[in-house]
Amino acid sequence: MNKEPLRQVIWVGDCRKKLKEFPRGAQRTIGRALDFAQRGGMHPSAKPFKGIGTGVLEIVARHDTDTYRAVYAVKVGETIYVLHAFQKKSKSGIKTPKQEIDLIKQRFRQAKVIEHEEK
């Protein structure tokens, strides 16, 4: 197991509060995936989130017939920024709704500002 110190996690906006509203199984999947990320790895339920930039990943957690997602950035300094947590409600197939993408983009910009201020 990696002996490096765990990377810090910063929750942007209300995503931690939203995650706590998810069913326990979805919370566990997302928690495990973030633990992998803190240790420098990538959990099997994480995949690149397209359209934002490199280093932005999405965790997909299925529970019953619902799908829950968390999006995080790993390429902003040494910190992991959790940008958004939401339940995917299919209105357009597998595509993430534009309003969710816009919020992720806004929070990604915010994470970069936070990282810059930390230095």
Side-chain angles (χ1 to χ4, degrees), residues 1-17:
M1 176 121 337
N2 191 349
K3 296 292 182 188
E4 301 275 327
L6 292 178
R7 292 174 69 180
Q8 179 184 9
V9 173
I10 292 180
W11 301 81
V12 183
D14 66 350
C15 56
R16 188 175 199 167
K17 178 180 170 258

Side-chain angles (χ1 to χ4, degrees), residues 12 73 76 81 83 106-116:
V12 183
V76 183
Y81 290 89
L83 306 173
Q106 173 197 344
R107 289 183 176 171
F108 187 53
R109 288 190 297 271
Q110 189 178 350
K112 289 179 178 179
V113 169
I114 293 168
E115 183 68 22
H116 180 71

Side-chain angles (χ1 to χ4, degrees), residues 87-101:
Q87 180 180 357
K88 174 71 170 77
K89 296 184 179 177
S90 184
K91 293 179 183 158
S92 56
I94 61 170
K95 190 173 180 184
T96 302
K98 183 183 181 322
Q99 72 184 38
E100 305 291 358
I101 292 171

Side-chain angles (χ1 to χ4, degrees), residues 20 34 47 56 65 80 89 104-105 118:
K20 289 181 182 265
L34 289 173
K47 63 182 182 177
V56 178
T65 59
I80 295 168
K89 296 184 179 177
I104 293 164
K105 286 180 179 178
E118 296 284 319

Side-chain angles (χ1 to χ4, degrees), residues 5-58:
L6 292 178
R7 292 174 69 180
Q8 179 184 9
V9 173
I10 292 180
W11 301 81
V12 183
D14 66 350
C15 56
R16 188 175 199 167
K17 178 180 170 258
K18 294 282 186 192
L19 178 66
K20 289 181 182 265
E21 296 170 2
F22 291 1
R24 296 293 259 171
Q27 288 181 35
R28 276 193 294 274
T29 299
I30 292 168
R32 274 191 233 104
L34 289 173
D35 182 65
F36 266 67
Q38 283 184 278
R39 296 171 192 282
M42 190 166 130
H43 191 269
S45 66
K47 63 182 182 177
F49 188 81
K50 295 180 174 79
I52 306 293
T54 60
V56 178
L57 301 165
E58 174 181 43

